[in-house]
Amino acid sequence: MTQNPPPFAPRGEALLHFRKWLRHGRSVAALTPSGQALSAASVRRVSAEYPQTIVELGAGTGAVTRAAAARMHPDSRLLAIESDVDFARMLEQTVPRAEVLCASAMSLQAILAAREVTRVDVILNGLPTPSLPQPQRDTVYQAIADLPGQPWVSQLTVMPWVFWRFYRRFFEEVHFEAAWRNLPPAGVYHCRGLRPLR
């Protein structure tokens, strides 16, 4: 049975997130943590019915991580990758079901190999992918392309519909789910089937 997720973005988390945004700007991707509507949309491909391996990139303070942990099957595995040490410490304290890794998403291949992860079912991507330099974006996408099967990539955005053509350029299958009740309005691109990188 799927549990209801705990409250999202407690005051301390929102304050930490805002301080990081002021310091690092676009690399943090959003002014505030994901709201409950956006987090729920982000984990739509996480199943409570069967075990999965779920990888989150750019987990931040853990709003989406908590939603995934609350929704996933008891035998699922959730790896939350976050490069900011303060965010990673908070994740360890607030989401005990997640394996929190303080590392760069650019090291995704090495991270999965070190943990003997050979299959990933869902990737929750909180990175500002359209804003990443092309070499970094290609590194992440190549690591995903090298995985067996076709994992769903659920990409958060705070600019609904704007990047539809961008993701269609990279994926065979793209579905957009709006989260209008998020502040600011946001959404998720659910993508699958990475095209060959040129």
Side-chain angles (χ1 to χ4, degrees):
M1 180 181 294
T2 303
Q3 300 175 349
N4 291 325
F8 283 75
R11 183 176 179 184
E13 291 183 31
L15 182 59
L16 175 61
H17 195 284
F18 182 65
R19 288 207 316 266
K20 294 290 183 178
W21 182 84
L22 286 176
R23 184 177 302 173
H24 302 294
R26 291 175 66 184
S27 66
V28 178
L31 178 63
T32 60
S34 301
Q36 191 163 3
L38 180 57
S39 297
S42 299
V43 301
R44 197 73 66 203
R45 302 294 174 176
V46 173
S47 175
E49 304 302 321
Y50 50 85
Q52 295 173 308
T53 298
I54 305 149
V55 174
E56 184 178 10
L57 306 177
T61 56
V64 173
T65 321
R66 284 195 298 273
R71 180 180 175 88
M72 70 186 191
H73 187 276
D75 295 327
S76 286
R77 186 178 185 186
L78 172 59
L79 284 73
I81 300 172
E82 172 52 56
S83 62
D84 185 278
V85 65
D86 295 322
F87 284 165
R89 286 174 182 158
M90 180 170 285
L91 281 164
E92 288 178 330
Q93 295 171 6
T94 59
V95 196
R97 288 196 68 189
E99 299 174 45
V100 179
L101 309 168
C102 188
S104 169
M106 302 306 112
S107 304
L108 180 58
Q109 279 185 318
I111 290 168
L112 297 179
R115 282 153 186 83
E116 300 182 339
V117 175
T118 58
R119 178 182 178 85
V120 175
D121 301 287
V122 181
I123 295 172
L124 307 172
N125 192 0
L127 301 175
T129 303
S131 301
L132 291 176
Q134 183 177 342
Q136 293 184 18
R137 184 178 65 232
D138 287 353
T139 297
V140 173
Y141 277 176
Q142 189 60 58
I144 295 171
D146 289 342
L147 292 167
Q150 293 187 339
W152 281 103
V153 179
S154 295
Q155 170 71 56
L156 282 71
T157 181
V158 292
M159 300 178 72
W161 296 109
V162 170
F163 296 113
W164 175 264
R165 289 185 179 179
F166 175 87
Y167 291 109
R168 283 293 298 168
R169 199 169 85 226
F170 289 100
F171 292 91
E172 297 283 351
E173 187 176 355
V174 178
H175 306 275
F176 182 74
E177 180 175 355
W180 300 119
R181 293 172 62 191
N182 194 73
L183 190 62
V188 180
Y189 292 94
H190 299 288
C191 310
R192 187 166 64 170
L194 258 172
R195 303 178 192 273
L197 298 177
R198 295 182 179 86

